[in-house]
Amino acid sequence: DDEIHVAIQDSGKGISEEALQKIFEPGFTTKAVGAGTGLGLSICHQIAQDHKGRIEVESKVGEGTTFTVIVPLDACQAEEA
């Protein structure tokens, strides 16, 4: 009742347990050298924290991944004021 949840789900290849533990670290990427900087999820994680929220991840290799962004409702109402 006091949080907003936004879930984004795909049916892709999923994320390994090993990678899940690192995905929010700046610079972490599973892409080839020169194909990515590994900053996207780190920045998203910081934005969620800046709004007193969090990002939760559920993934199964071969089945897909769900990212859920959770932000306290009072943080959203403060932004509107």
Side-chain angles (χ1 to χ4, degrees), residues 3-77:
E3 297 176 325
I4 294 174
H5 293 230
V6 177
I8 298 98
Q9 182 177 25
D10 70 24
S11 57
K13 62 182 183 176
I15 303 170
S16 71
E17 277 295 320
E18 181 182 335
L20 275 175
Q21 296 179 28
K22 300 177 184 178
I23 60 172
F24 295 119
E25 293 177 11
F28 176 76
T29 184
T30 58
K31 295 180 181 180
V33 174
T37 60
L39 293 176
L41 286 174
S42 174
I43 291 169
C44 292
H45 187 254
Q46 186 60 52
I47 290 169
Q49 287 183 328
D50 289 348
H51 293 280
K52 298 181 175 69
R54 63 191 184 279
I55 300 176
E56 296 179 355
V57 184
E58 293 180 26
S59 188
K60 290 187 180 180
V61 174
E63 294 184 25
T65 303
T66 302
F67 282 85
T68 305
V69 180
I70 302 165
V71 181
L73 189 57
D74 61 350
C76 296
Q77 292 170 340

